[in-house]
Amino acid sequence: MSHTHIAALLEARLGEWADSHNIPVAWENLAMDPPEGMYLQAYAMPATTTTIDLAESLHVLPGVWQVNVVAPAGNGTDPARELADQIAALFPVGLALTEGNLTCYIHTPPTVYRGIPSDTRYVIPVSMSYRADITTN
């Protein structure tokens, strides 16, 4: 198991939710024509894998999961903030996502950051840390 599997777990949860709410998602390294309305961008950003036991068999795979809420500029902040709060609620601290023998935990409460304006878009980042522990023996 690897950071690739962790990203797949996180993306699956977001993708299912976004599909059920009819919200487009710009997935990493996939072409997408940005819609006129709001959409999401998702990134799993792995950190260095470490070991924490003397046998070096317990591997810790940490990282940051970030979902950007992207809204058209000039429409105020309320719709984007509401969507950012929904994304934060979708990934509460302690959430466990499991596939086979891999369980990924949301390790910190999601943080909804200040919006970043541009000429055409207003982006609100929502970030949280994740962690998975894997025994290799």
Side-chain angles (χ1 to χ4, degrees), residues 21-45:
H21 288 80
N22 201 27
I23 299 170
V25 180
W27 299 108
E28 190 171 5
N29 200 32
L30 291 177
M32 175 186 177
D33 291 324
E36 290 187 25
M38 287 195 294
Y39 66 96
L40 306 174
Q41 297 171 320
Y43 305 95
M45 298 174 281

Side-chain angles (χ1 to χ4, degrees), residues 42-108:
Y43 305 95
M45 298 174 281
T48 302
T49 301
T50 60
T51 59
I52 59 172
D53 63 327
L54 294 175
E56 296 181 344
S57 62
L58 179 59
H59 293 190
V60 179
L61 289 80
V64 173
W65 174 237
Q66 181 164 315
V67 179
N68 293 335
V69 175
V70 183
N75 290 336
T77 60
D78 288 348
R81 285 182 181 164
E82 289 173 15
L83 184 53
D85 286 343
Q86 291 176 41
I87 298 301
L90 183 63
F91 293 96
V93 68
L95 174 70
L97 301 171
T98 302
E99 177 185 303
N101 68 343
L102 173 71
T103 300
C104 175
Y105 299 93
I106 298 301
H107 184 28
T108 61

Side-chain angles (χ1 to χ4, degrees), residues 80-81 84-85 87-88 110-114 124-127:
R81 285 182 181 164
D85 286 343
I87 298 301
T111 300
V112 177
Y113 291 97
R114 179 189 179 281
I124 298 179
V126 181
S127 292

